[in-house]
Amino acid sequence: MASLELRQVAVEYTMKRTRQPLLALRNISLSVAHGQFVALVGPSGCGKSTLLNVVAGLQPASHGEVWLDGTPVVKPGRNRALVFQSPSLLPWRTVLRNVTYGLELQGAPPREAAQRARRYIDLVALNGFEESYPHELSGGMQQRANLARALATDPELLLLDEPLAALDPQMREVMQAELQHIWLQTAKTALFVTHLISEAVFLGDTVVVLSARPGTVRAVVPIDLPRPRTGQLRRSPRFRQLEDTIADLLQTELPTRLSSI
Amino acid sequence: MDQIIETSQPEMGGRATPKQATWGTFTTWHQFVQAHELRIIPLVGVVTLLILWEAAPALGWVKPIFTSSPSRIVQAAIWLFAHGLWNDIVVSLSEFGLGFGLALLFAIPVGIVLGWSRRLHALFDPFITALNATPRVALLPLIILWLGIGLESKVAIVFLGALFPLLINTIVGVQTLDTNLVRCARAFGASDRQILVTVALPTSIPFIIAGMRLGVGRGLLGVVVGELVAASAGVGYMMNRAGSTFQTDKVFVGVLLIAGFGYTLTEILKRIEAHVSMWRPQETE
């Protein structure tokens, strides 16, 4: 049984200034099996983040339906957790109290929340930094704390909106491996938005390529690379081949955009 | 001239005493001065001013009836403290304390509500803006008419003075929401009330303290002007009486009392601010 199912989802905005309707997403149908890691790639502004917001329940779909484990998604819920590009940690709380934050909002008893938080702080290798404030951490550490906060609520579906985009390239590769490691240990279903093709190939069980706005599913590319994937794998012919395939799919989206500039 | 140096010297010696504990760790004066540079510079400034102030009338550059001098002020202060200045201080402090306290009790909860509810804010904003733009002193004749020349009228004017910076800062503080933090809280299923308590209120605390700092100044203005205009006791009242009988020294005692009080309160608030914003990156202000 598919864990997450999107049926002909479309999202239309009304632009504030011109009051013109804007179709951000159209006819998105997607099935994500339980425990799968799906990476979403697409040109800028194709509605990747919008799609995550809809699945998170932060934003309604104009048409179509989102089903999660047999229930329609209408508002945010405990079975999903969203990780943003900016770590969005509360700056006045320590790492520990940031990681308990999600649990606290969901009404978990403080002692249990602290216990669970410590477990996930260990998992993301931030032990020793429980009492540090976010500004005392590096970007990568902040993002790990952010990830721990999402994981601590024990969601069935992890929604990751370019969580590594703010990191420098070296750190980013380290964190990709780290993220894979954490994901392998927790076995959550994950929807991961990224701009980087290599990141999508490295992390995804499948890569979903979206078209330019209005975004729709252009292709679903299964990634048949063995796990755990390593740094060396990035240089393997199969990895490069998959990258090229996805790049070609994205390329066809570009000319219309370039001519419109 | 000799006397001048004597009056200013003990004060410097007095202030320097706590530092003498660390004196042993410095081998030369030079090192000591370097290590405490930022404390020594303001001290030098203050002492220089005191010396000039004392010297100017003594050398006949200015008339002491206009400028007074530190030694005269000290003498006047001693005399005043022996002749009922404490009572004036207590009166002024009560006026300020009550007015400022009431302003805090009123402005913070109301500011939180108005900052949170766009509709209520829209309803009250014209009144807040208009009253904030009106100098509170302009309301004094009315307030005296309503509340008399006793404690109540001064409490009211301090309240009105401190109210608006506090209220406006609290409103702005609650309204200043980091959209990322709100989106994150919403994604965890947070209710409006939870967002208020976990995001909006912590964000607003530095704003509220900044409002308190502004409010201290406005409140003190209220006390002094209120007492100058109509009162039967208080530091401002004492200054008014002294001024109208050309007792410049006593006026300066009042000025220094008020300045000292305002300065102390502002410093205390700065400390509190630094304490509650421990989570902030080190600021280079």
Side-chain angles (χ1 to χ4, degrees):
Chain A
M1 189 188 95
S3 174
L4 174 70
E5 180 128 6
L6 279 73
R7 297 183 194 151
Q8 293 166 342
V9 170
V11 175
E12 199 177 67
Y13 288 110
T14 308
M15 284 195 289
K16 265 192 186 142
R17 205 161 46 81
T18 55
R19 300 187 176 234
Q20 299 252 318
L22 174 82
L23 194 59
L25 292 170
R26 109 188 120 84
N27 197 22
I28 302 250
S29 293
L30 195 65
S31 236
V32 181
H34 187 78
Q36 242 200 334
F37 196 112
V38 173
L40 288 168
V41 290
S44 305
C46 74
K48 300 183 294 275
S49 297
T50 308
L51 187 62
L52 276 201
N53 280 343
V54 170
V55 177
L58 288 172
Q59 191 178 342
S62 316
H63 309 279
E65 291 165 336
V66 179
W67 290 77
L68 185 61
D69 287 330
T71 354
V73 166
V74 283
K75 58 177 177 78
R78 277 176 202 206
N79 50 5
R80 282 149 291 155
L82 192 51
V83 177
F84 306 104
Q85 176 182 340
S86 77
S88 51
L89 298 169
L90 300 170
W92 50 82
R93 287 188 175 215
T94 60
V95 167
L96 179 65
R97 297 206 54 232
N98 262 296
V99 178
T100 57
Y101 183 55
L103 290 162
E104 186 186 311
L105 291 175
Q106 295 174 357
R111 189 171 298 173
E112 193 195 312
Q115 268 176 7
R116 294 182 57 90
R118 283 183 199 281
R119 191 154 11 113
Y120 286 97
I121 286 172
D122 279 354
L123 182 69
V124 300
L126 275 180
N127 22 0
F129 293 94
E130 289 89 346
E131 299 307 320
S132 304
Y133 286 96
H135 78 265
E136 296 167 324
L137 306 181
S138 69
M141 289 161 88
Q142 289 185 19
Q143 207 46 279
R144 280 187 291 184
N146 195 16
L147 197 60
R149 177 173 64 185
L151 289 168
T153 60
D154 198 21
E156 283 154 44
L157 178 62
L158 205 49
L159 302 166
L160 303 141
D161 191 357
E162 300 196 48
L164 309 180
L167 305 178
D168 62 71
Q170 286 81 24
M171 191 61 200
R172 195 163 179 171
E173 289 201 358
V174 171
M175 280 296 293
Q176 286 167 9
E178 191 88 2
L179 186 60
Q180 175 189 234
H181 173 75
I182 293 164
W183 173 73
L184 283 172
Q185 286 190 28
T186 55
K188 306 280 181 206
T189 311
L191 210 54
F192 181 90
V193 165
T194 181
H195 265 105
L196 274 191
I197 298 171
S198 66
E199 191 167 277
V201 174
F202 185 80
L203 285 167
D205 290 322
T206 46
V207 174
V208 173
V209 182
L210 295 180
S211 69
R213 192 164 56 215
T216 189
V217 178
R218 172 156 193 95
V220 176
V221 184
I223 307 296
D224 49 2
L225 297 166
R227 287 192 194 267
R229 296 171 188 163
T230 60
Q232 279 126 351
L233 190 71
R234 292 177 197 274
R235 289 186 289 277
S236 72
R238 182 63 189 142
F239 193 95
R240 296 220 163 122
Q241 201 181 353
L242 285 163
E243 277 186 313
D244 291 344
T245 311
I246 294 164
D248 288 343
L249 285 163
L250 281 172
Q251 203 78 60
T252 55
E253 294 300 326
L254 281 176
T256 52
R257 288 178 54 78
L258 284 178
S259 65
S260 67
I261 288 171
Chain B
M1 200 43 195
D2 289 344
Q3 261 194 333
I4 299 160
I5 294 161
E6 265 173 42
T7 49
S8 53
Q9 204 66 356
E11 204 192 359
M12 196 173 83
R15 288 199 196 176
T17 349
K19 280 171 208 149
Q20 280 171 353
T22 57
W23 169 239
T25 58
F26 298 99
T27 48
T28 64
W29 257 110
H30 190 67
Q31 274 183 319
F32 177 83
V33 169
Q34 267 192 333
H36 296 280
E37 192 182 45
L38 289 180
R39 293 190 190 171
I40 291 169
I41 290 172
L43 205 64
V44 168
V46 171
V47 171
T48 311
L49 177 79
L50 287 176
I51 292 171
L52 282 175
W53 193 0
E54 189 70 48
L59 296 173
W61 297 344
V62 289
K63 287 184 179 163
I65 191 156
F66 294 125
T67 64
S68 187
S69 70
S71 57
R72 284 163 204 261
I73 294 169
V74 171
Q75 278 167 12
I78 292 168
W79 188 88
L80 279 170
F81 275 113
H83 293 81
L85 183 61
W86 283 119
N87 182 49
D88 286 321
I89 291 176
V90 168
V91 167
S92 295
L93 273 183
S94 327
E95 289 164 352
F96 179 81
L98 283 171
F100 196 75
L102 286 173
L104 276 178
L105 284 178
F106 181 80
I108 293 175
V110 171
I112 290 169
V113 171
L114 293 186
W116 198 239
S117 160
R118 283 185 192 190
R119 291 196 180 118
L120 284 177
H121 183 241
L123 177 63
F124 288 105
D125 189 49
F127 302 105
I128 295 170
T129 309
L131 273 170
N132 186 42
T134 315
R136 249 66 54 181
V137 181
L139 301 173
L140 251 183
L142 273 179
I143 289 171
I144 291 165
L145 199 71
W146 292 335
L147 298 172
I149 64 162
L151 187 80
E152 295 85 351
S153 56
K154 261 66 76 186
V155 171
I157 202 81
V158 173
F159 173 79
L160 286 175
L163 179 69
F164 290 96
L166 274 168
L167 188 62
I168 290 168
N169 270 38
T170 309
I171 292 172
V172 172
V174 173
Q175 283 174 342
T176 309
L177 281 172
D178 183 333
T179 45
N180 271 323
L181 295 183
V182 174
R183 198 159 81 113
C184 166
R186 289 245 185 262
F188 282 118
S191 64
D192 280 356
R193 198 190 62 82
Q194 283 177 316
I195 289 175
L196 174 68
V197 173
T198 62
V199 183
L201 290 187
T203 312
S204 66
I205 286 171
F207 287 84
I208 293 175
I209 293 173
M212 285 170 76
R213 268 160 63 177
L214 283 173
V216 165
R218 300 271 192 94
L220 281 177
L221 185 78
V223 169
V224 176
V225 175
E227 286 179 354
L228 289 178
V229 172
S232 51
V235 175
Y237 172 69
M238 179 277 286
M239 288 163 72
N240 194 19
R241 256 185 333 168
S244 53
T245 50
F246 298 101
Q247 302 183 69
T248 323
D249 311 336
K250 289 183 185 170
V251 177
F252 269 107
V253 172
V255 170
L256 290 177
L257 275 177
I258 293 159
F261 180 71
Y263 181 83
T264 312
L265 219 51
T266 310
E267 283 299 310
I268 291 173
L269 285 171
K270 272 190 195 167
R271 296 276 165 84
I272 296 175
E273 200 171 8
H275 183 75
V276 297
S277 10
M278 265 191 321
W279 49 269
R280 276 169 197 267
Q282 291 298 311
E283 279 170 80
T284 48
E285 217 180 316

